[in-house]
Amino acid sequence: MSKLTPETPPERPNTPLNKQDDTALPDSQPVKDGIKDTPATDVSLISGESKPRKYKTDNQSFFMQRGYQILLVLGLIAAFFLAMVYQTLFGRIEQPQQMVTIEQGQTYYGLLPQWQQQIPLFSASVAKLYIKSQVDAPLHAGIYQLPENPTIAEALQVLEQGAKAAMVKVQIIEGKTSKDLYQTLRDNPGIKKEVLTADSDNESIAQALDLVGILPDAVINSNDPIVNHNLEGWFAPDTYYYGEGTSDKQVLTDLYKRQQQALTKAWGNRAPDLPYKSPYEALVMASIIEKETSVPEERPLVSAVFNNRMNKGMRMQTDPTIIYGMGSRYEGNIRRRDIDEKTSYNTYQIDGLPPTPIALPSASSIEATLHPADSEVLYFVATGTGGHKFTNSLAEHNQAVKEYLSVMREKRAQTPPQ
């Protein structure tokens, strides 16, 4: 006889309950009489009829989130501003220790564009505020030594010292000689004499300045007193301002460094196929060009004349070399016997270049030497009315000479007797 068992309740279907199924009960309720008593399911969770929940703008978390975003933006702005201020005042200019010249009339503000190009995030406005608040005296003309890789704050500190020191003016005109420069420094009471003593000569000056290796052996070992150890051409002509009490050694060293930098730069960018074997030979030619014309526009043409003559094996035949070779014997006029006299410098009598420069050439004459005009000119002569006339042939040159002499005769005829 079979044993009776309780009736097994039907299995709950796996399909989701719908809204109308009021008998469906969840499993979590206790079982009563073998049947689970479950509450009705929240139909809003399963019916798809629920509405999107709206985020209330008056919720505290909303304002906290917005506040963080604003603080982040303000923080980034503040960080950028602080970085800009720091870079402006303490960012370093990548440069070696060097001398800088401040000309008469320059201002601190006028120096800012150069710093702005060299320092990232540099702000001219911040720099102006700093100058206005920290610098009391105007910028003084003079020569200043800036330290290696200076900040603007360090540079301004150096430049500000000019207001506290008496400055002396040293003017060296283009085309003057090293002898003229030495005398200018000797005559300046504000320059301390260390090198240019009463008995100093070319050799003692060269040794005192210790400019090793800048002169060819032929100059060092020459028996000609004008040539021997002659530093002609190596000092940059310009107008300088130094603190009172600066030594002549310091001035000459500074001027040498400036000329050497100008020559090195120009030589590195020189035109091809020039007849010069070394920068020193180019310096010699630049000094001749400097003496031949004071018209800047003519310098490349004068350079072309000498370049063409040297390439053709012609003598240079330039009067300033006669004058320099005569030394103290020159009295203002070149006579036939002076042209015929063979000195170390007379390019009417010697081939090629003289042994040393004959003057202090400007940077523009150095540039003209190493970038002559593209021309076949071989001669030039003064016009008598300013400038020179350039010609390609000897016949044209002779005609230009006649025209010059005619102009000069007219001028003499119009000059009243004294």
Side-chain angles (χ1 to χ4, degrees), residues 11-33:
E11 292 184 3
R12 188 171 61 183
N14 292 327
T15 56
L17 298 178
N18 56 40
K19 187 177 181 180
Q20 288 77 21
D21 190 359
D22 294 332
T23 61
L25 301 173
D27 293 338
S28 60
Q29 285 299 99
V31 178
K32 294 182 180 180
D33 298 329

Side-chain angles (χ1 to χ4, degrees), residues 258-301:
R258 286 175 173 272
Q259 194 75 316
Q260 192 267 344
Q261 289 171 358
L263 180 60
T264 300
K265 181 180 178 181
W267 180 260
N269 298 321
R270 67 189 183 278
D273 303 324
L274 296 175
Y276 316 115
K277 298 175 183 177
S278 68
Y280 188 74
E281 287 191 357
L283 187 67
V284 174
M285 178 57 75
S287 71
I288 296 173
I289 293 173
E290 188 72 60
K291 293 298 291 184
E292 284 287 6
T293 181
S294 59
V295 181
E297 296 79 12
E298 288 187 345
R299 287 172 182 154
L301 273 173

Side-chain angles (χ1 to χ4, degrees), residues 186 193-201 204-205 248:
R186 287 190 181 103
K193 312 304 183 293
E194 288 184 6
V195 174
L196 303 174
T197 58
D199 57 348
S200 60
D201 56 13
S204 64
I205 293 171
D248 54 3

Side-chain angles (χ1 to χ4, degrees), residues 55-117:
Y55 194 80
K56 295 182 180 180
T57 57
D58 59 349
N59 189 295
Q60 185 176 4
S61 63
F62 172 82
F63 287 107
M64 289 180 65
Q65 185 178 15
R66 294 289 289 175
Y68 289 147
Q69 292 174 345
I70 294 172
L71 287 175
L72 177 61
V73 172
L74 292 176
L76 291 174
I77 294 174
F80 177 80
F81 179 75
L82 290 174
M84 183 172 63
V85 172
Y86 181 85
Q87 280 293 96
T88 298
L89 301 182
F90 303 106
R92 296 196 173 273
I93 303 173
E94 296 295 328
Q95 66 181 30
Q97 177 178 300
Q98 62 181 5
M99 305 296 295
V100 296
T101 301
I102 301 299
E103 304 292 348
Q104 198 75 32
Q106 276 190 277
T107 66
Y108 288 105
Y109 293 165
L111 302 175
L112 298 184
Q114 179 182 353
W115 278 316
Q116 197 163 19
Q117 292 176 354

